[in-house]
Amino acid sequence: MLLKRLFGIIPVVFGVLLLTFLLSHLIPGDPVEVMLGESATAADRSALRAELGLDQPLPIQFVRYLGKLAQGDFGASIHSHEAISHLLAQRIPATAQLALLSLAIAIMVGLPLGIIAALRYRRWPDSLATVSALAFAAMPNFWLGPLLMLVFALWLGWVPVSGMESRLSIVLPALTLASGLAAILTRMTRASMLEVLNEDFVRTARAKGLPERTVILRHALKAALLPVVTVVGLQLGSLLAGTVITETVFGWEGLGRLLVESIEKRDYPVLQACVLVIALTYVVVNLLTDLVYARLDPRVRFSS
Amino acid sequence: MKKWPQVVLLFWCAMAVIAPWLGFQPDAIDLAHILNAPSLTFLLGTDDLGRDILARLIAGAGVSLTVAGVVTLVTFTAGTTLGLVAGYYGGWVDRVLMHVTDVFLAFPGILLAIAFAAVLGAGVDNLVLALCLTSWVGYARLTRAQALSLRGRQHVQAAQTLGASTPRILLRHVLPMLAPALLVEATFSIASLIIAEASLSFLGLGIQPPHASWGAMLRDGVRYLLVTPHYVLAVGVSLMSLVLAVNVLGDTLRDNFDVKR
């Protein structure tokens, strides 16, 4: 089963590569003309066409694309002529830092809120947690971000408005990015806990006189967290995609910002590379989530 | 109070529909009244080109709802048809569809829509196209899974024995069984499409200036956050009210139909 799951991602990865490759062929009209603008000479155009291999048939272009990727060669930026692998290496650490901090915040907020809501079912802590989870889920990053910026940076002056000069610069983008996942985690943990708290083994644990703390934390929570793990894995994707907007709002120089800059400059090879890196990261994260799930849940074992 | 989601949704739909008769000029530039605070003439103030923010907010609601509606209609039809055929027939059609949806689902969230919109170029047509290309997957997966389990049911087998044609079986005996689940899916999908349209417009990929859209207004508003905070607040609260209303409506529908997600 483990091998099956591992091999299962091969067609997906192949499809992701094919779709990102085909992206540049969706550009209406002549991509070279779009990339270079109208002022370019015919010589410039044919040079770029040859550089991108656009004079070759599609299948050959795709095989070349794969061959280069296998060597870690993402091509060069049309705008700055820099190697894209170099650009990515510059930007990925900032995004990784932001995404991991957001994940940590979301877990530290979402799990306790969900547990408290389940334990105080239908009382005010539950209502408060449920309503705020609903509200935060309806707040896209490009609206929560400016709101936090207005209150905490412009009015209160606690943190910088944007950029990444100060150590506190990461606070607002991380909170913004964490909000959606925290909301979903709260809802999921609450629902999962409510289900588990009615199970026989929880009643048994209580009946044999275990302290309530042990019943909740050792017995109920352990079982309730299983479905939550899957959700975290799946939602990490939305978090990765959310970096595109959040980094734009706060001027955080990461992968998402690079992607938006590449759109503005019509630097399609850079755009392709960013999309590919984010999608492949997501595929790997999902694989890891399944493996973690299999380790946590004795009922799922990948080995036969 | 219990019906507030319906009220909010109806409010925005009504505003969008009657907007042409309100006498607003959302795109009219008035350089004498730049970045005005809310007043009796301009209830929500004016933006950096002196345009009436309230008028643009209503115009933006129209864009948002139209885009979400059109995309939902197209993807619902296409996704459901694909899912029905794949789930009912199985075999290679099903395997191909599953592989394709797996690939689409490998691009998290709004990423693929951003990529499509970026290469297709800005503009509302390409925005709708980009969202259509990426939003059919949910319907296809849902319908396929349900059709797969329904094709063995007795009432479907009875219809087959009686000699009913396949389209008739699919439309009369399979589709009605999964209508509640599809309706719930469509409701949540409208909420995420409203956010997706605003996200793409925020990145400059959707509706082009001078026309108003909530995403583009938020981007403009952020630039003047300190001068006119009410600009961003008005657009954000509007967007949130609409998304929240649709989501709560989806929750209610799901509970009423007892649909599991």
Side-chain angles (χ1 to χ4, degrees):
Chain A
M1 275 295 273
L2 175 66
L3 281 179
K4 201 180 162 196
R5 179 68 181 86
L6 275 174
F7 283 122
I9 71 166
I10 292 174
V12 175
V13 169
F14 182 80
V16 167
L17 289 165
L18 184 63
L19 196 53
T20 24
F21 165 75
L22 288 176
L23 270 182
S24 62
H25 295 273
L26 276 175
I27 303 169
D30 183 359
V32 170
E33 202 159 300
V34 175
M35 290 182 209
L36 288 178
E38 281 171 16
S39 57
T41 63
D44 286 342
R45 280 181 200 163
S46 57
L48 181 64
R49 196 162 290 143
E51 188 194 319
L52 296 175
L54 292 176
D55 43 0
Q56 303 284 332
L58 264 186
I60 293 182
Q61 285 186 40
F62 183 52
V63 171
R64 280 192 175 176
Y65 175 70
L66 291 183
K68 282 186 170 178
L69 280 180
Q71 300 165 18
D73 179 5
F74 288 86
S77 153
I78 293 172
H79 188 74
S80 66
H81 302 288
E82 240 179 304
I84 295 175
S85 52
H86 186 63
L87 287 174
L88 292 175
Q90 277 178 343
R91 302 294 193 102
I92 287 175
T95 297
Q97 208 183 356
L98 183 61
L100 288 176
L101 182 61
S102 304
L103 179 65
I105 295 175
I107 292 175
M108 284 189 306
V109 173
L111 283 191
L113 272 186
I115 297 170
I116 294 170
L119 295 179
R120 299 280 176 274
Y121 181 56
R122 297 226 163 146
R123 277 182 275 167
W124 69 264
D126 181 28
S127 321
L128 189 68
T130 314
V131 169
S132 34
L134 203 59
F136 276 104
M139 286 182 104
N141 292 345
F142 52 86
W143 151 233
L144 180 63
L147 192 64
L148 293 179
M149 197 189 260
L150 184 66
V151 176
F152 295 103
L154 293 173
W155 286 347
L156 297 171
W158 290 351
V159 283
V161 177
S162 67
M164 40 203 305
E165 285 77 31
S166 147
R167 286 180 65 189
L168 289 174
S169 296
I170 199 171
V171 175
L172 291 187
L175 284 176
T176 306
L177 203 52
S179 65
L181 183 57
I184 291 170
L185 268 180
T186 306
R187 289 182 75 167
M188 276 301 299
T189 312
R190 174 182 176 272
S192 187
M193 272 302 266
L194 282 177
E195 212 161 288
V196 168
L197 285 175
N198 282 324
E199 298 267 350
D200 287 343
F201 71 87
V202 173
R203 195 176 311 135
T204 310
R206 280 191 181 133
K208 69 181 184 188
L210 287 180
E212 188 64 14
R213 224 183 123 79
T214 321
V215 175
I216 301 299
L217 293 179
R218 294 287 293 278
H219 293 253
L221 188 60
K222 217 174 153 188
L225 280 186
L226 278 175
V228 178
V229 170
T230 317
V231 175
V232 173
L234 282 174
Q235 291 300 325
L236 256 180
S238 313
L239 198 141
L240 283 174
T243 58
V244 177
I245 302 271
T246 310
E247 289 181 1
T248 304
V249 171
F250 290 100
W252 187 261
E253 300 288 318
L255 199 58
R257 184 79 201 110
L258 181 66
L259 192 151
V260 175
E261 283 164 13
S262 75
I263 295 174
E264 282 158 5
K265 292 174 188 159
R266 295 171 183 248
D267 203 339
Y268 295 107
V270 177
L271 171 70
Q272 262 174 314
C274 292
V275 171
L276 187 63
V277 168
I278 298 178
L280 290 183
T281 311
Y282 184 45
V283 172
V284 173
V285 165
N286 270 336
L287 179 69
L288 291 178
T289 312
D290 282 0
L291 298 182
V292 168
Y293 189 88
R295 273 206 72 82
L296 290 179
D297 190 345
R299 286 168 301 181
V300 187
R301 280 281 181 254
F302 284 117
S303 54
S304 51
Chain B
M1 245 336 256
K2 259 193 146 176
K3 295 242 183 230
W4 71 266
Q6 285 91 327
V7 173
V8 170
L9 187 59
L10 267 179
F11 169 78
W12 284 114
C13 290
M15 289 310 260
V17 172
I18 62 168
W21 290 281
L22 289 177
F24 282 136
Q25 288 170 310
D27 299 337
I29 293 170
D30 179 2
L31 295 178
H33 298 93
I34 288 174
L35 296 171
N36 277 11
S39 63
L40 278 179
T41 356
F42 305 107
L43 284 176
L44 288 174
T46 57
D47 70 1
D48 53 321
L49 292 173
R51 297 174 294 197
D52 186 350
I53 291 176
L54 179 64
R56 293 183 72 72
L57 198 63
I58 292 170
V63 171
S64 191
L65 288 166
T66 313
V67 169
V70 169
V71 175
T72 300
L73 217 60
V74 173
T75 53
F76 184 94
T77 315
T80 310
T81 311
L82 281 173
L84 269 180
V85 171
Y88 188 74
Y89 282 110
W92 68 268
V93 185
D94 186 37
R95 280 200 297 278
V96 169
L97 181 77
M98 282 300 100
H99 280 305
V100 173
T101 52
D102 276 342
V103 171
F104 273 74
L105 291 173
F107 295 86
I110 196 182
L111 183 68
L112 196 57
I114 292 178
F116 276 136
V119 293
L120 288 170
V124 68
D125 300 355
N126 287 334
L127 173 88
V128 169
L129 185 56
L131 291 175
C132 283
L133 281 172
T134 51
S135 315
W136 57 275
V137 181
Y139 298 111
R141 295 283 279 224
L142 178 70
T143 315
R144 180 256 177 191
Q146 299 273 336
L148 199 64
S149 71
L150 282 172
R151 71 173 174 185
R153 287 274 194 93
Q154 280 185 339
H155 77 278
V156 175
Q157 285 173 343
Q160 284 167 346
T161 318
L162 287 170
S165 67
T166 307
R168 186 184 163 87
I169 294 175
L170 288 179
L171 288 178
R172 298 291 296 272
H173 299 280
V174 177
L175 195 58
M177 301 286 288
L178 44 97
L182 282 172
L183 196 63
V184 172
E185 173 82 11
T187 313
F188 286 117
S189 153
I190 286 177
S192 46
L193 282 171
I194 291 169
I195 292 182
E197 184 273 316
S199 307
L200 292 174
S201 300
F202 181 84
L203 294 174
L205 287 170
I207 287 75
Q208 292 304 293
H211 299 300
S213 75
W214 287 358
M217 289 175 77
L218 273 166
R219 190 189 49 200
D220 292 346
V222 172
R223 263 190 266 151
Y224 303 96
L225 203 51
L226 202 53
V227 195
T228 52
H230 61 273
Y231 188 0
V232 165
L233 290 177
V235 186
V237 169
S238 307
L239 178 73
M240 198 167 79
S241 73
L242 188 53
V243 173
L244 201 58
V246 178
N247 271 339
V248 172
L249 208 59
D251 277 339
T252 316
L253 283 177
R254 187 175 54 194
D255 293 346
N256 286 352
F257 290 140
D258 197 20
V259 174
K260 283 215 168 166
R261 270 187 116 186

